[in-house]
Amino acid sequence: MIPVISPAFFKNDSLIQYLVKSAERHGIDLRLYGMGETYKGWIDTHITRALQAVSALDSELVMFVDAADVIFLAGPEEIERHYRRQDADIVMAKEHSGLNFGGWVGRRDVALSMLSRLAEFMPEEGDPQVRMRQYHASCYSGVVPDEGWIFNVESPYSRLKCVNGRITDLWDTRQPCVIHFAGGYFSPTEGRYERMKPYWEGLGYGI
């Protein structure tokens, strides 16, 4: 089973219930880090602490997802199947503007190398999203954009519909394993509840 690490730098788990409950439904091995700790910025949460979390594992593969705006739609077997069909070291989510660092899956050894290099790449300049795109453009990073089989980054361009209990992308009929509600306003008390609620209810969860 692929362990899934996720940065949860919140006072409690109230803002990550979508992630936690959907992980439980689909048998995801979720490894949260940072709960109750002070948030020190994306570089710390997505690179420095992610590197520590990956270093503590002994699995062949590892997956990373953001915590407060993600819903799992499938289990580890389907995620691994879609990862291997893309024949890459690291498969990363993509959105309209490019790679999205809020979701990736791949070989643990390559992830360690990627995060280590990102920690040294243009220190203190740019958030992880900017760093990853610049890093990816400047050298071979082992990263390929996901083809939509694993991650779907929801946006105004999305055409997503819940069909027979599964979210389907109407552009290409693919059914992603993870939906990520990246960007936009994030309420300190409700997160991205308003955007996530219709999908959550369509998947049969209680509120």
Side-chain angles (χ1 to χ4, degrees):
M1 183 179 294
I2 304 174
V4 180
I5 63 170
S6 185
F9 288 78
F10 302 102
K11 292 181 179 179
N12 54 56
D13 63 359
S14 62
L15 290 176
I16 61 171
Q17 287 304 301
Y18 294 116
L19 177 76
V20 172
K21 290 181 180 179
S22 62
E24 290 174 351
R25 172 184 282 191
H26 293 288
I28 299 294
D29 180 12
L30 184 62
R31 315 282 186 96
L32 301 172
Y33 61 90
M35 182 68 69
E37 298 180 32
T38 301
Y39 174 74
K40 298 178 181 179
W42 279 18
I43 302 302
D44 179 62
T45 60
H46 284 57
I47 298 178
T48 305
R49 294 297 298 277
L51 177 58
Q52 293 174 7
V54 173
S55 298
L57 301 173
D58 60 3
S59 56
E60 175 198 1
L61 303 176
V62 60
M63 186 176 190
F64 173 96
V65 295
D66 278 349
D69 52 6
V70 165
I71 298 173
F72 283 102
L73 307 172
E77 294 83 6
E78 186 171 341
I79 292 170
E80 182 171 350
R81 184 170 71 251
H82 288 315
Y83 161 72
R84 295 195 184 279
R85 74 185 293 173
Q86 297 186 68
D87 192 26
D89 291 333
I90 301 283
V91 172
M92 186 168 290
K94 67 177 179 179
E95 56 188 321
H96 211 64
S97 56
L99 292 171
N100 183 292
F101 202 43
W104 51 265
V105 59
R107 287 172 43 192
R108 189 183 72 90
D109 59 336
V110 178
L112 283 170
S113 176
M114 174 185 74
L115 292 168
S116 296
R117 292 180 180 179
L118 280 170
E120 300 173 355
F121 186 72
M122 296 176 60
E124 306 306 322
E125 294 183 24
D127 64 32
Q129 207 87 289
V130 174
R131 281 192 182 203
M132 169 50 68
R133 292 175 184 177
Q134 292 177 341
Y135 172 63
H136 182 64
S138 68
C139 64
Y140 173 71
S141 60
V143 175
V144 300
D146 178 44
E147 297 174 355
W149 295 108
I150 302 173
F151 304 100
N152 187 295
V153 182
E154 188 268 353
S155 76
Y157 303 98
S158 299
R159 291 187 62 199
L160 302 174
K161 185 176 181 180
C162 195
V163 179
N164 298 323
R166 186 70 184 263
I167 291 177
T168 301
D169 188 333
L170 299 182
W171 288 114
D172 53 23
T173 70
R174 290 178 181 170
Q175 295 182 319
C177 301
V178 173
I179 183 170
H180 181 193
F181 298 83
Y185 175 67
F186 188 89
S187 165
T189 57
E190 296 186 340
R192 297 197 171 99
Y193 171 79
E194 289 303 320
R195 284 170 58 191
M196 300 173 77
K197 179 182 175 182
Y199 298 98
W200 191 250
E201 292 180 334
L203 292 168
Y205 291 95
I207 300 301

